[in-house]
Amino acid sequence: MNYLSGESKNVEYKVVLPDRSIKYTKTAVAFANGEGGRIVFGVEDQTLNVVGVPDDQVFIIMDAISNAIADSCEPLIIPDISMRDIDGKTVIIAEILPGAQRPYFIKSMGREQGTFVRVAGTTRQADTATIKELLFEGSNRSFDQTVCLGLEATNDDITELCERMTTVAKANAKYDAGQVKSVTVKQLQSWGVLVERDGELKPTNAYAILTGTNGPVRSIIQCGVFKGSTKAVFVDRREFTGVPWELIEQAYRYVLRNIHMGARFEGVYRQDVYEIPPDAIRELIVNAVVHRSYIDHSSIQVAIYDDRLEITSPGRLPMGQTITRMKEGYSKIRNEALATAFSYMRLIEHWGSGIPRIIEEVREAGLREPEFLGGDTDLRINIYRKADEAARDAGEAVPDAADTVRDTAGEMPDDPQSVRDKFAIDSRLVRDSIELSEQEQHAYAYVREHRGVQSDEIAALLNVGKRQAQKILTGLVNRGLLRRIGAARSTRYVCADGVAGE
């Protein structure tokens, strides 16, 4: 194994054994509080020059490292100490595994001052929010299922929440709304939205989030448009508060109002499409709301630059999660009550499928793969925009220059039940206002007559290959006429307006 790839989130080098053990024990603490890592002794950190340790002191140094880490850290950290031969020189590796009894800290400094985490290849002192997050991880508890101090919920309040969640679930269920069962108080308890204490029902942090309560748990999305590729010059900004499903809808609408709507031609037929797939935008915002850290009082930020859409979700990745695993579809639920409630309301589908689906949709739109950054203090996802010269020449693109961008947030209704997508249109409007190819017309009409179809069905219907069928369906999705649900082989396409069998 190559240990000489440069210092990183999981590797640190020491040319010699430091005279003060704190110089490496705090890194051991940081590794235990994170994904684990290795401290390599006998290598210069800047040049990666292998110096090695004296052969006659190898075992003395190994014992010293093991004792220092075990004696200095709490809870107990037992490193795996070994030696390796690199270029004929001996180096010592102290491997630290991820710890389950978080937070780990330096005993002499105390938990508040002695807790360290790994951030971008450096060891840093943890702030209060991070320590609190580590405490919940170490106790295997979910913050959103914890009683929200100072918040009370009457029977009427609880009944209203049940009714609103049921309404949202039925609206999102579309074709099988009649099969949606109403939320009950017992369900809220089983999810962790309510807990019983001394014979009384107490609201949890999840309850505060779901009701949009303006209290100790912040539920805010900040949206902004910026000139250029930095936050130096604001063009417009909005701050949305309220219940989660309204936050998602408001932020989603904001992005659509401030990105290009361009033109694409398939033969002689013209297609109007958003430059970024709308489904991917919505999915990213939903993921940010349900998976963010609510211990961190920062807000979700949705920023639109000339070159990209950037969505930042507060909080480090939960224990056991990495960016690589997330992109592969591995799901690690931070907010268990919130995730279950979102699943009931059909705001999320199969856990873990969202990120792979976003990547697939962005690729199909001809954009570069989304960029995932951070994970140590927050998670930032970038979708890079592609200039559509043809659309600009045709005069169809929404301008994004600093002096021409116009935001209409104040004109948009906040209630998702009253918000109608400009592309959620009926058959008459499809015929009268949008030019569809003959194949698209057949595909769209077929989808409207069924509860949902897969690309194989459209391929058979149109007598085309599966790839061409997917291309036709993706074009209808990008135009806002269809929605894609599921992922991989289970992907289905349904009408965006929820109308079927007219």
Side-chain angles (χ1 to χ4, degrees), residues 33 124 147 175 196 233 326 471 484:
N33 282 328
R124 299 184 187 177
V147 173
Y175 307 120
E196 187 173 345
V233 180
M326 181 174 60
K471 187 175 182 180
R484 182 191 288 106

Side-chain angles (χ1 to χ4, degrees), residues 182-228:
S182 299
V183 177
T184 65
V185 176
K186 289 292 185 183
Q187 275 183 301
L188 294 183
Q189 285 183 263
S190 68
W191 295 347
V193 177
L194 296 171
V195 296
E196 187 173 345
R197 292 288 185 270
D198 300 325
E200 294 184 3
L201 289 179
K202 298 291 184 181
T204 64
N205 291 314
Y207 179 95
I209 296 165
L210 290 169
T211 55
T213 303
N214 186 17
V217 183
R218 289 170 57 89
S219 187
I220 296 173
I221 299 182
Q222 295 176 330
C223 296
V225 178
F226 301 88
K227 182 177 181 180

Side-chain angles (χ1 to χ4, degrees), residues 69-122:
I69 293 175
D71 294 343
S72 301
C73 306
E74 190 170 308
L76 178 66
I77 297 175
I78 301 178
D80 182 9
I81 310 293
S82 61
M83 55 183 175
R84 295 285 188 277
D85 182 280
I86 300 179
D87 299 332
K89 297 177 181 178
T90 301
V91 300
I92 297 173
I93 299 105
E95 183 168 3
I96 313 297
L97 297 177
Q101 296 177 280
R102 305 177 178 195
Y104 292 84
F105 56 93
I106 303 297
K107 278 192 280 190
S108 61
M109 300 176 68
R111 189 171 67 191
E112 299 303 314
Q113 300 298 320
T115 302
F116 295 88
V117 292
R118 198 74 172 164
V119 178
T122 61

Side-chain angles (χ1 to χ4, degrees), residues 317-365:
L317 291 175
M319 184 170 64
Q321 182 65 296
T322 66
I323 288 177
T324 299
R325 299 183 78 186
M326 181 174 60
K327 290 168 68 174
E328 293 173 349
Y330 174 80
S331 180
K332 181 71 175 179
I333 305 300
R334 184 202 307 273
N335 302 305
E336 296 182 6
L338 207 57
T340 306
F342 270 50
S343 180
Y344 164 79
M345 292 186 289
R346 313 295 176 93
L347 292 170
I348 58 175
E349 296 177 26
H350 302 294
W351 292 345
S353 67
I355 296 301
R357 187 165 56 247
I358 290 167
I359 294 173
E360 179 184 350
E361 290 170 356
V362 171
R363 283 175 176 167
E364 288 181 355

Side-chain angles (χ1 to χ4, degrees), residues 115-280:
T115 302
F116 295 88
V117 292
R118 198 74 172 164
V119 178
T122 61
T123 297
R124 299 184 187 177
Q125 190 175 50
D127 59 16
T128 302
T130 300
I131 294 173
K132 193 172 182 180
E133 190 85 51
L134 290 168
L135 278 166
F136 275 96
E137 289 179 352
S139 60
N140 198 28
R141 292 183 298 149
S142 178
F143 172 75
D144 68 331
Q145 293 177 323
T146 303
V147 173
C148 185
L149 299 178
L151 182 63
E152 297 294 332
T154 66
N155 290 335
D156 289 342
D157 294 333
I158 296 172
T159 299
E160 181 182 357
L161 175 60
C162 290
E163 291 173 350
R164 295 190 71 179
M165 290 178 63
T166 302
T167 299
V168 173
K170 289 184 176 180
N172 289 331
K174 299 186 184 300
Y175 307 120
D176 58 347
Q179 300 179 21
V180 175
K181 296 181 179 180
S182 299
V183 177
T184 65
V185 176
K186 289 292 185 183
Q187 275 183 301
L188 294 183
Q189 285 183 263
S190 68
W191 295 347
V193 177
L194 296 171
V195 296
E196 187 173 345
R197 292 288 185 270
D198 300 325
E200 294 184 3
L201 289 179
K202 298 291 184 181
T204 64
N205 291 314
Y207 179 95
I209 296 165
L210 290 169
T211 55
T213 303
N214 186 17
V217 183
R218 289 170 57 89
S219 187
I220 296 173
I221 299 182
Q222 295 176 330
C223 296
V225 178
F226 301 88
K227 182 177 181 180
S229 59
T230 70
K231 287 191 169 91
V233 180
F234 261 113
V235 175
D236 182 80
R237 56 181 164 184
R238 294 286 187 272
E239 186 172 283
F240 300 115
T241 60
V243 295
W245 48 91
E246 290 180 0
L247 285 178
I248 293 166
E249 192 68 27
Q250 290 166 330
Y252 170 69
R253 298 285 170 190
Y254 184 92
V255 175
L256 293 188
R257 289 195 300 271
N258 288 287
I259 62 174
H260 289 128
M261 171 110 79
R264 185 171 66 196
F265 291 87
E266 294 285 343
V268 298
Y269 298 102
R270 170 198 178 101
Q271 290 185 342
D272 294 321
V273 296
Y274 284 107
E275 59 177 313
I276 301 174
D279 282 355

Side-chain angles (χ1 to χ4, degrees), residues 175 420 423-431 436 440-453 458 473 476 480-482 493-502:
Y175 307 120
R420 180 173 172 83
F423 283 114
I425 52 183
D426 61 24
S427 300
R428 179 182 56 78
L429 289 178
V430 170
R431 291 193 299 269
L436 297 178
E440 288 172 329
Q441 291 177 25
H442 285 312
Y444 184 62
Y446 185 85
V447 174
R448 292 179 72 84
E449 293 172 2
H450 298 76
R451 290 181 177 272
V453 303
I458 298 301
L473 290 166
L476 294 171
L481 296 174
L482 300 183
Y493 297 84
V494 299
C495 286
D497 58 2
V499 178
E502 293 185 339

